[in-house]
C-alpha cells in the first residue's frame, strides 16, 4: 500500500506540472497570432440563453495523450492550449483504442457490444457498416432543426449506399470513407493491386476538388465555406474528423521549421503534422467568430484513440499505445471550449466517455431521446460546465470474443465467473480490470524518440509471471498501471468479473464478415465506394425461391 501511496503522490505531482501558460498573457491568440477581436458579425451568433447552440465536434486521429502542449509535449500546440485553458480540460476522459469503435460510439451513444462492432475496425473490403437500425447523432439533431455537416474521415462502412454519411443523418459530406490514405493524392491501397481513390463530396467521388491540397488544409477550407454560406441564426452541427495525425506521416514543408532538432524522423514528421492541425483548429475558430457563430457555440475537441509510438505518437507517462486497453490506448486528449460554459478555465477530473456526447449534445440541442433507445452514454453537461459529479461510475472498455485468445486463460482463472482467455477491460469507480491479451504494454518515454530510428532500449517493461491473464489496477492512485493488485484484492476482481458477465449478456453478435472481391475499386471506376446492390440480392433470392419451387413441384409429381 505504501507503493500505491507514493504513486498517488507522483500522479498529483505530474498533474500539477501540466499547468500551461495562457497566450493571453502575451497578447496573442491561438497560433501565436494577434487575438481576434469580436466583430459586428459575431453578434449574429450570440443567441438568447436557452437557444439551440451551434455544435462543433473536432476529432483528431491517433493523437497521443502527451502530444499537446498542456500535457508537457515538446510539440507546440498554442491553439489547443489556449482553447483548453479558457474552457474545460477533460483529464479523466476515455475513448476506444481504435478508429471505428470510437467513431461508432460517438455517433450512437452505444458500446461496441451493442452494435456488433466489438472486433477490430471496418476494413475497406468488408461488406460491413454501422448497423442501419442504429439512430445516429446527426439524425436526432436534424429532428430539431439542425443543419448537419460532416467534413473528414468517416470509417463507419460504405459497402452499400445506405451506409454513406448522407444516408446516416448528414446534409452534406466531404471527406474520405476509409481509415487512412495519402494526404495529397487521396489514394489508398488495402493490399497489393487493391487500390483506389478515396475523396468524396456527398455520394460521389470528388475529382473536381482534388487539387493536390494537403487534407488538413483542404478540410479546413471546406469548413470555412460551410460557415460562410450558412445562416448563423439557425443551429448547425459540424463534425470535423481530421485525418491527422494518422499515418502515413506527411506534412507541408513549412511545418518542419521548429522541429529540425528532432532526430527521430517519424517523431519529426508527426510534430509537423500536429503543428498543421493546431493551425487548422485556429482557422476554424477564427471562422466561427468571423461569421457570427462563436457566441452561441460549443467546441468539443477529442482524439479518437491513443498515439502509436512507432508512428511518432507519445502517450507518456501512460502505459501502452493505440490498439490496446492499457491507459495509453484509451485515455485521450479532450476539452470543451464555449462561451456557454459556467466554470471556464477549469479541469474536469470526473469520469467521461465518448458515448456521453450523444445524450449530452441532444439534450443541449433541445432534442428528445426515445425511450426505446438503450444508450450507454450519460448527459454530462452539468459535470463539465458546472463541476458537478459525473453520473457515470463505470465504463465497459470492451469485450472482444474473437480476438486472439490468451493461451493460459481459463474459467478457473476467472473464478468460474469469466473465461480469462477473452480480451476484455472494464472500469468501475477507481478500479480497472483487464483479461485475456490486452496488447503491447511498454511505457515509451520521450527518450525513445531521441535517436534517428525507433529505439526500444529506452522502453520500460514488466515481465509478468507466466500464464497471467488477469490484471487489476487502482487507476486513481496508479494511473500509469505499474502496480498490479489482482492477487491482493481477489474480491474486487470477482466483483468486476461479475460486472463483465452482466454486460456480456446484453451483447449482440459480432459483425466481422470476410472480404468481398466485388469491393475492388477496379470494378468501380477506380474509386473506393459502395459495391453491394440491393437488386443483385433480390435477383439471387428470387432465383433461389424459383429453384425451390421447381424442386417442390418435381417432388409433388413424384409423390403422385
Amino acid at each position: 500500500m505504501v507503493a500505491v501511496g507514493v504513486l498517488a503522490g507522483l500522479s498529483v505531482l505530474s498533474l500539477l506540472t501540466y499547468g500551461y501558460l495562457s497566450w493571453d498573457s502575451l497578447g496573442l491568440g491561438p497560433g501565436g497570432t494577434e487575438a481576434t477581436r469580436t466583430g459586428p458579425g459575431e453578434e449574429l451568433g450570440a443567441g438568447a440563453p436557452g437557444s439551440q447552440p451551434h455544435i462543433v465536434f473536432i476529432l483528431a486521429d491517433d493523437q497521443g495523450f502527451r502530444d499537446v502542449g498542456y500535457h508537457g509535449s515538446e510539440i507546440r500546440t498554442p491553439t489547443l492550449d489556449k482553447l483548453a485553458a479558457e474552457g474545460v480540460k477533460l483529464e479523466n476522459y476515455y475513448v476506444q483504442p481504435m478508429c471505428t469503435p470510437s467513431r461508432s460510439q460517438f455517433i450512437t451513444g452505444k458500446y461496441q457490444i451493442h452494435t456488433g462492432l466489438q472486433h477490430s475496425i471496418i476494413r475497406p473490403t468488408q461488406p460491413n457498416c454501422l448497423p442501419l437500425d442504429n439512430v445516429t447523432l446527426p439524425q436526432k439533431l436534424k429532428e430539431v432543426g439542425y443543419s448537419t455537416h460532416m467534413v473528414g474521415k468517416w470509417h463507419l462502412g460504405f459497402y452499400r449506399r445506405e451506409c454513406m454519411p448522407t444516408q446516416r443523418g448528414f446534409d452534406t459530406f466531404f471527406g474520405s470513407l476509409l481509415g487512412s490514405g495519402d494526404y495529397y493524392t487521396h489514394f489508398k491501397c488495402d493490399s497489393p493491386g487493391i487500390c483506389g481513390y478515396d475523396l468524396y463530396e456527398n455520394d460521389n467521388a470528388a475529382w473536381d476538388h482534388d487539387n493536390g491540397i494537403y487534407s488538413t488544409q483542404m478540410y479546413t477550407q471546406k469548413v470555412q465555406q460551410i460557415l460562410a454560406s450558412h445562416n448563423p441564426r439557425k443551429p448547425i452541427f459540424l463534425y470535423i474528423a481530421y485525418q491527422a495525425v494518422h499515418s502515413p506521416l506527411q506534412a507541408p514543408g513549412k511545418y518542419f521549421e521548429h522541429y529540425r532538432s528532432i532526430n527521430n524522423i517519424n517523431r519529426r514528421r508527426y510534430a509537423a503534422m500536429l503543428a498543421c492541425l493546431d493551425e487548422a483548429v485556429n482557422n476554424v475558430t477564427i471562422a466561427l467568430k468571423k461569421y457570427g457563430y462563436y457566441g452561441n457555440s460549443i467546441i468539443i475537441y477529442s482524439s479518437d484513440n491513443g498515439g502509436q509510438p512507432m508512428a511518432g505518437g507519445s502517450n507518456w507517462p501512460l502505459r501502452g499505445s493505440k490498439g490496446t486497453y492499457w491507459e495509453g490506448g484509451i485515455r485521450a486528449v479532450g476539452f470543451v471550449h464555449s462561451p456557454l460554459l459556467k466554470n471556464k478555465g477549469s479541469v474536469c477530473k470526473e469520469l467521461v466517455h465518448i458515448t456521453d456526447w450523444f445524450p449530452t449534445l441532444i439534450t443541449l440541442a433541445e432534442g428528445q431521446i426515445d425511450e426505446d433507445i438503450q444508450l450507454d452514454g450519460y448527459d454530462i453537461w452539468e459535470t463539465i460546465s458546472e463541476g458537478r459529479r459525473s453520473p457515470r461510475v463505470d465504463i465497459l472498455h470492451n469485450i472482444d470474443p474473437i480476438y486472439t485468445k490468451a493461451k493460459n486463460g481459463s474459467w478457473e482463472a476467472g473464478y468460474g465467473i469469466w473465461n480469462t482467455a477473452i480480451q476484455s477491460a472494464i472500469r468501475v469507480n477507481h478500479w480497472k480490470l483487464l483479461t485475456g491479451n490486452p496488447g503491447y504494454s511498454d511505457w515509451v518515454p520521450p527518450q525513445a524518440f531521441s535517436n534517428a530510428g525507433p529505439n526500444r532500449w529506452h522502453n520500460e517493461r514488466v515481465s509478468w509471471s507466466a500464464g497471467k491473464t488477469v490484471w487489476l489496477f487502482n487507476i486513481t492512485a496508479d494511473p500509469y498501471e505499474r502496480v498490479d493488485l489482482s492477487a491482493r484484492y481477489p474480491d474486487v476482481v470477482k466483483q468486476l468479473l461479475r460486472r463483465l458477465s452482466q454486460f456480456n449478456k446484453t451483447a449482440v453478435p459480432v459483425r466481422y464478415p470476410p472480404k468481398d472481391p466485388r469491393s475492388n475499386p477496379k470494378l468501380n471506376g477506380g474509386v473506393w465506394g459502395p459495391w453491394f446492390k440491393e437488386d443483385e440480392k433480390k435477383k439471387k433470392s428470387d432465383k433461389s425461391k424459383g429453384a425451390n419451387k421447381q424442386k417442390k413441384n418435381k417432388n409433388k409429381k413424384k409423390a403422385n
Side-chain angles (χ1 to χ4, degrees), residues 262-279:
I262 298 178
N263 292 326
N264 184 303
I265 186 62
N266 285 347
R267 183 66 173 169
R268 191 190 318 151
R269 289 172 178 165
Y270 180 94
M273 295 168 74
L274 188 55
C276 183
L277 176 62
D278 186 80
E279 182 184 87

Side-chain angles (χ1 to χ4, degrees), residues 379-399:
D379 179 357
I380 39 89
W381 181 249
E382 290 183 349
T383 301
I384 294 170
S385 179
E386 301 175 27
R388 298 192 183 184
R389 295 301 302 271
S390 174
R392 177 178 287 284
V393 295
D394 60 15
I395 297 173
L396 176 66
H397 293 306
N398 197 26
I399 299 170

Side-chain angles (χ1 to χ4, degrees), residues 124-126 158 194 515-524 527-529 531:
T125 57
Q126 283 182 311
F158 59 88
I194 310 296
K515 291 181 179 181
D516 186 338
R518 293 175 296 172
S519 63
N520 193 330
K522 290 180 180 177
L523 305 176
N524 192 28
V527 178
W528 287 104
W531 69 85

Side-chain angles (χ1 to χ4, degrees), residues 406-530:
K407 292 181 180 179
N408 297 292
S410 65
W411 285 95
E412 184 180 358
Y415 300 97
I417 303 168
W418 185 257
N419 182 359
T420 63
I422 296 173
Q423 185 193 60
S424 67
I426 188 171
R427 170 80 176 268
V428 179
N429 294 316
H430 304 298
W431 298 104
K432 177 182 176 183
L433 182 83
L434 303 98
T435 72
N437 180 1
Y440 175 85
S441 63
D442 285 7
W443 293 270
V444 185
Q447 296 93 312
F449 298 104
S450 62
N451 298 306
N455 187 345
R456 294 187 63 181
W457 290 108
H458 290 287
N459 297 1
E460 296 183 57
R461 304 176 190 175
V462 171
S463 298
W464 300 109
S465 57
K468 187 163 185 59
T469 55
V470 178
W471 295 264
L472 177 71
F473 300 97
N474 183 326
I475 294 298
T476 305
D478 178 22
Y480 314 140
E481 298 170 298
R482 292 181 177 273
V483 182
D484 174 31
L485 301 171
S486 59
R488 192 181 303 178
Y489 297 107
D491 289 342
V492 176
V493 171
K494 292 174 186 176
Q495 288 175 19
L496 269 62
L497 290 174
R498 289 190 191 98
R499 189 77 181 101
L500 268 178
S501 181
Q502 289 170 354
F503 270 120
N504 200 41
K505 290 174 182 175
T506 68
V508 301
V510 179
R511 298 168 60 99
Y512 199 74
K515 291 181 179 181
D516 186 338
R518 293 175 296 172
S519 63
N520 193 330
K522 290 180 180 177
L523 305 176
N524 192 28
V527 178
W528 287 104

Side-chain angles (χ1 to χ4, degrees), residues 297-319:
S297 68
I298 296 170
I299 303 170
I300 300 166
Y301 183 89
S302 169
S303 180
D304 66 339
N305 46 247
Q308 177 57 269
M310 297 301 286
S314 175
N315 304 306
W316 179 261
L318 302 181
R319 183 180 187 180

Side-chain angles (χ1 to χ4, degrees), residues 31 37 46 52 57 78 86 106 120 192 208 224 326 400 447 450 482 536 542:
R37 308 295 181 200
Q52 294 168 299
F57 193 94
E86 294 175 350
F106 161 66
S120 190
D208 295 340
Q224 291 168 327
W326 302 107
D400 187 343
Q447 296 93 312
S450 62
R482 292 181 177 273
E536 290 180 10
D542 290 343

Side-chain angles (χ1 to χ4, degrees), residues 27 46 126 190-191 211 257 278 299 339 342 350 467 504 524:
Q126 283 182 311
D190 185 59
S191 58
N211 300 313
E257 181 181 345
D278 186 80
I299 303 170
K342 292 186 178 179
E350 292 293 307
N504 200 41
N524 192 28

Side-chain angles (χ1 to χ4, degrees), residues 54-327:
H54 304 299
I55 300 168
V56 181
F57 193 94
I58 302 173
L59 190 65
D61 201 343
D62 286 9
Q63 182 178 2
F65 181 79
R66 184 181 174 82
D67 296 330
V68 65
Y70 64 85
H71 279 176
S73 178
E74 79 279 22
I75 303 172
R76 303 174 188 180
T77 57
T79 302
L80 302 183
D81 297 343
K82 178 176 170 60
L83 293 177
E86 294 175 350
V88 176
K89 297 174 184 174
L90 306 178
E91 293 298 350
N92 201 4
Y93 174 54
Y94 288 86
V95 294
Q96 296 308 111
M98 286 182 288
C99 308
T100 298
S102 284
R103 291 158 207 274
S104 70
Q105 297 200 29
F106 161 66
I107 211 168
T108 66
K110 296 181 180 181
Y111 290 144
Q112 294 160 258
I113 64 164
H114 296 143
T115 59
L117 300 176
Q118 54 266 59
H119 180 67
S120 190
I121 59 173
I122 294 177
R123 308 286 174 181
T125 57
Q126 283 182 311
N128 194 14
C129 73
L130 179 71
L132 300 177
D133 57 354
N134 282 270
V135 177
T136 68
L137 177 59
Q139 286 172 338
K140 297 301 294 180
L141 294 176
K142 276 175 68 71
E143 289 178 4
V144 288
Y146 273 74
S147 176
T148 58
H149 305 271
M150 180 181 173
V151 177
K153 170 178 163 178
W154 175 238
H155 208 185
L156 288 174
F158 59 88
Y159 79 104
R160 50 193 291 182
R161 290 206 170 270
E162 294 87 344
C163 302
M164 297 286 280
T166 52
Q167 306 300 313
R168 305 310 301 268
F170 288 105
D171 293 326
T172 67
F173 167 66
F174 181 74
S176 63
L177 298 175
L178 277 63
S180 64
D182 191 282
Y183 280 71
Y184 292 96
T185 67
H186 318 297
F187 269 84
K188 166 70 175 181
C189 289
D190 185 59
S191 58
I194 310 296
C195 304
Y197 184 70
D198 182 29
L199 181 64
Y200 268 75
E201 183 167 35
N202 298 322
D203 295 333
N204 300 300
W207 297 106
D208 295 340
H209 293 272
D210 185 7
N211 300 313
I213 302 174
Y214 186 66
S215 75
T216 302
Q217 297 168 327
M218 179 177 63
Y219 291 156
T220 303
Q221 290 173 9
K222 187 64 177 179
V223 170
Q224 291 168 327
Q225 292 169 11
I226 292 170
L227 291 173
S229 61
H230 183 75
N231 181 357
R233 294 184 184 278
K234 295 181 179 179
I236 189 171
F237 170 51
L238 260 175
Y239 173 32
I240 312 169
Y242 282 109
Q243 181 181 352
V245 285
H246 194 293
S247 59
L249 302 178
Q250 299 170 293
K254 71 174 185 176
Y255 296 101
F256 286 86
E257 181 181 345
H258 297 294
Y259 303 107
R260 302 291 180 194
S261 61
I262 298 178
N263 292 326
N264 184 303
I265 186 62
N266 285 347
R267 183 66 173 169
R268 191 190 318 151
R269 289 172 178 165
Y270 180 94
M273 295 168 74
L274 188 55
C276 183
L277 176 62
D278 186 80
E279 182 184 87
V281 175
N282 178 39
N283 289 332
V284 169
T285 308
I286 289 172
L288 288 169
K289 293 181 178 181
K290 178 180 179 180
Y291 297 114
Y293 299 88
Y294 180 79
N296 188 36
S297 68
I298 296 170
I299 303 170
I300 300 166
Y301 183 89
S302 169
S303 180
D304 66 339
N305 46 247
Q308 177 57 269
M310 297 301 286
S314 175
N315 304 306
W316 179 261
L318 302 181
R319 183 180 187 180
S321 64
K322 171 186 177 176
T324 77
Y325 291 97
W326 302 107
E327 293 291 285

